[in-house]
Amino acid sequence: MRAHDLPEALGKETRKGAPAVGRPAIGRPELQPGHPSAPSAALALQRAIGNTATTRVVEESRHRHGAGSGHGRTGAGAAASGTPTVQRAPAPGAAGPKEETKPTEWFNATTGTWQGGQPDPETMRPAHGGERLLLKPKLEKEYAAKHYTDVGQVPVFKARAYRRKKGPGPASTGRSPELRMLDRLGRLGMSQIRPEGTPHLATSVMPNGRLGIAGNTGRSHVTGAERDHVNQELADVQDESVEPYGQRRMDKDLHKVRAMQAGDYFEGAYNRPQLGAVAKALKNPDWSGSGVGDDNGGQPGSQHGEMTLLGQHIADWKANPRQREQGMKTVDMGGVKLACAACQWAFEAANQFIGSKYGYRVAASGGHGMLFRNWIMPKWLAEVPEARKYVESKIKAKAPGARFYEGSSGALVLYLPKDYKSADADQDPAESESEWEPI
């Protein structure tokens, strides 16, 4: 604001003690007769008290002020004293402070347009990290014109397709969002397995970014036809035109998976790349190396699905060790059921004796504590003496008389005494209390 634009009233304001009209506005004011600094008074003082004392009196008089005069105050000091802060208008021709234009628009990621006002929280949600990343080139070109100082400051919202109709409830198991989602994918895929087929489907995001799926091998192995049916089922899960199952638990899983695909499930977990990796992996199932059709030569013995997938992860760990400064990377292992006791101890051995060496760890939804006959020890575990000893000692402590024997394929198969019986336990992971619904 320039000086001639000031309101007329502001131009008339004067400070108490200001020079009278015609007196210079700057410089030292004219000394009045009798003031200690006036020439005649100074000579009189010198005669009476001497030069040194005279100098001190003159200096003190220059810093002694009456009410409403003297050095100006600003900020808290002015407020405390009751003395108003003196604000001087800029000199004629000088530019005043520039008023910055504030941003008033947000970006609609659904329509690809800028909008004014405030987004409706019932129908719009903040865009998560992956959605913002896709929009980054466009936002970088346009954010400055919308008066934002940085592209990261731009509010980006997207229309909701799903919303939570019931809260999350207590987190009883501590499972991560992506691990819970992997469990759901296993349950949905399991709907295509024959009743006498594999009792378990394990799921994990593999090193190649695809969704690894594996069932137990042996007499109840996954057939080629079942593999194809599971793949089709997971494709239908992502197809909004395919109707829900009409079963509460299945529809609960279905809506959460679709909410993840729509981006709505990320709310509250915007910066979890692992969850984004699950959403991306779902589009590309991977059964390679998962033992489809493996009946163990018709002999007793079954390698559990999670052991098969973990073996592929461990091969990648060894090929790509992490540096200490990178920190430990977690690999999530989901599935239809909780891990049996042998698989649970195998996870612990993998973390303690293998993963710690290469900078990785595996996390699963927990175990149910039961042992099963003819459990095959995976090769990646059997070839690490410390890991093998750890698992064997745990099994023998739980089931005295248990041992491993070499099967026809060379794999180690668990023998349990005839009188051993595990106490029945719930094998299903805890059910999440939250529910979602389409809008």
Side-chain angles (χ1 to χ4, degrees):
M1 185 180 292
R2 300 181 184 276
H4 61 264
D5 293 328
L6 292 171
E8 183 180 356
L10 181 59
K12 292 179 180 179
E13 283 187 4
T14 58
R15 179 165 58 95
K16 185 176 181 181
V21 176
R23 180 171 292 173
I26 59 175
R28 182 181 299 160
E30 183 179 342
L31 299 176
Q32 301 299 316
H35 190 281
S37 297
S40 58
L43 289 173
L45 283 171
Q46 284 176 340
R47 296 189 191 99
I49 63 176
N51 289 337
T52 302
T54 299
T55 300
R56 184 171 63 252
V57 171
V58 171
E59 290 301 319
E60 289 178 356
S61 70
R62 287 175 178 171
H63 288 82
R64 191 178 298 128
H65 309 291
S69 63
H71 301 306
R73 295 174 182 244
T74 59
S81 66
T83 305
T85 301
V86 178
Q87 296 182 347
R88 294 179 175 85
K98 183 179 180 181
E99 185 175 342
E100 294 184 2
T101 305
K102 296 181 179 179
T104 59
E105 295 180 85
W106 55 277
F107 190 80
N108 189 323
T110 301
T111 61
T113 59
W114 293 86
Q115 293 184 215
Q118 296 295 323
D120 180 5
E122 293 296 320
T123 60
M124 304 296 294
R125 58 159 176 86
H128 63 71
E131 292 167 339
R132 290 188 69 104
L133 186 62
L134 293 174
L135 293 167
K136 188 176 180 182
K138 180 177 178 61
L139 296 178
E140 285 181 336
K141 291 180 180 179
E142 301 176 2
Y143 79 89
K146 302 300 179 181
H147 310 295
Y148 289 98
T149 58
D150 183 83
V151 67
Q153 296 179 346
V154 177
V156 181
F157 287 79
K158 191 171 183 178
R160 296 179 186 271
Y162 287 81
R163 64 187 172 193
R164 180 184 285 139
K165 68 175 182 179
K166 185 179 179 182
S172 58
T173 64
R175 288 180 298 163
S176 65
E178 48 274 6
L179 185 50
R180 295 195 300 270
M181 192 61 70
L182 287 169
D183 289 344
R184 294 183 190 107
L185 297 181
R187 286 194 295 270
L188 293 171
M190 193 69 182
S191 66
Q192 299 303 309
I193 301 295
R194 68 196 190 283
E196 67 276 12
T198 178
H200 183 62
L201 280 181
T203 54
S204 183
V205 177
M206 305 309 290
N208 60 10
R210 299 173 64 183
L211 178 66
I213 311 174
N216 293 3
T217 64
R219 294 173 180 174
S220 299
H221 60 271
V222 176
T223 67
E226 287 176 325
R227 173 199 58 203
D228 296 341
H229 292 157
V230 171
N231 286 346
Q232 183 59 55
E233 186 67 18
L234 294 180
D236 290 345
V237 164
Q238 301 170 73
D239 186 350
E240 294 283 347
S241 68
V242 177
E243 292 294 322
Y245 298 91
Q247 302 174 28
R248 185 197 67 82
R249 182 69 187 274
M250 296 292 285
D251 287 346
K252 187 176 179 179
D253 287 337
L254 174 70
H255 288 150
K256 287 183 178 180
V257 172
R258 288 182 174 178
M260 174 187 69
Q261 292 298 111
D264 297 318
Y265 189 80
F266 284 73
E267 190 166 2
Y270 297 117
N271 297 316
R272 292 194 70 91
Q274 305 96 321
L275 190 56
V278 175
K280 185 177 180 180
L282 175 55
K283 300 179 183 299
N284 197 2
D286 182 10
W287 294 79
S288 60
S290 294
V292 173
D294 183 354
D295 67 352
N296 195 35
Q299 299 298 311
S302 174
Q303 180 166 295
H304 291 191
E306 55 267 59
M307 297 292 97
T308 300
L309 294 183
L310 184 53
Q312 297 177 54
H313 279 295
I314 289 177
D316 181 72
W317 297 356
K318 294 178 179 178
N320 300 282
R322 294 170 63 82
Q323 300 300 316
R324 184 181 297 274
E325 59 269 18
Q326 292 178 289
M328 192 73 68
K329 181 177 180 179
T330 298
V331 169
D332 293 302
M333 187 67 64
V336 176
K337 295 180 178 293
L338 297 170
C340 70
C343 284
Q344 180 66 32
W345 293 326
F347 287 149
E348 295 172 4
N351 288 339
Q352 184 174 347
F353 301 106
I354 304 175
S356 61
K357 180 179 179 180
Y358 298 101
Y360 298 85
R361 64 180 297 274
V362 60
S365 295
H368 53 66
M370 292 190 290
L371 282 174
F372 296 114
R373 287 177 171 82
N374 301 319
W375 181 85
I376 289 181
M377 180 181 291
K379 183 179 179 181
W380 59 262
L381 178 62
E383 64 187 12
V384 180
E386 301 91 343
R388 173 179 172 175
K389 181 178 179 181
Y390 179 89
V391 173
E392 285 183 323
S393 63
K394 290 283 188 178
I395 291 175
K396 291 176 180 178
K398 187 175 182 68
R403 60 182 175 82
F404 282 90
Y405 67 92
E406 187 173 311
S408 58
S409 64
L412 296 176
V413 183
L414 176 62
Y415 167 82
L416 292 175
K418 292 182 180 180
D419 60 349
Y420 175 81
K421 188 178 186 308
S422 291
D424 289 338
D426 184 4
Q427 299 182 42
D428 296 327
E431 181 177 350
S432 172
E433 294 189 15
S434 65
E435 293 184 26
W436 289 70
E437 63 183 357
I439 296 179

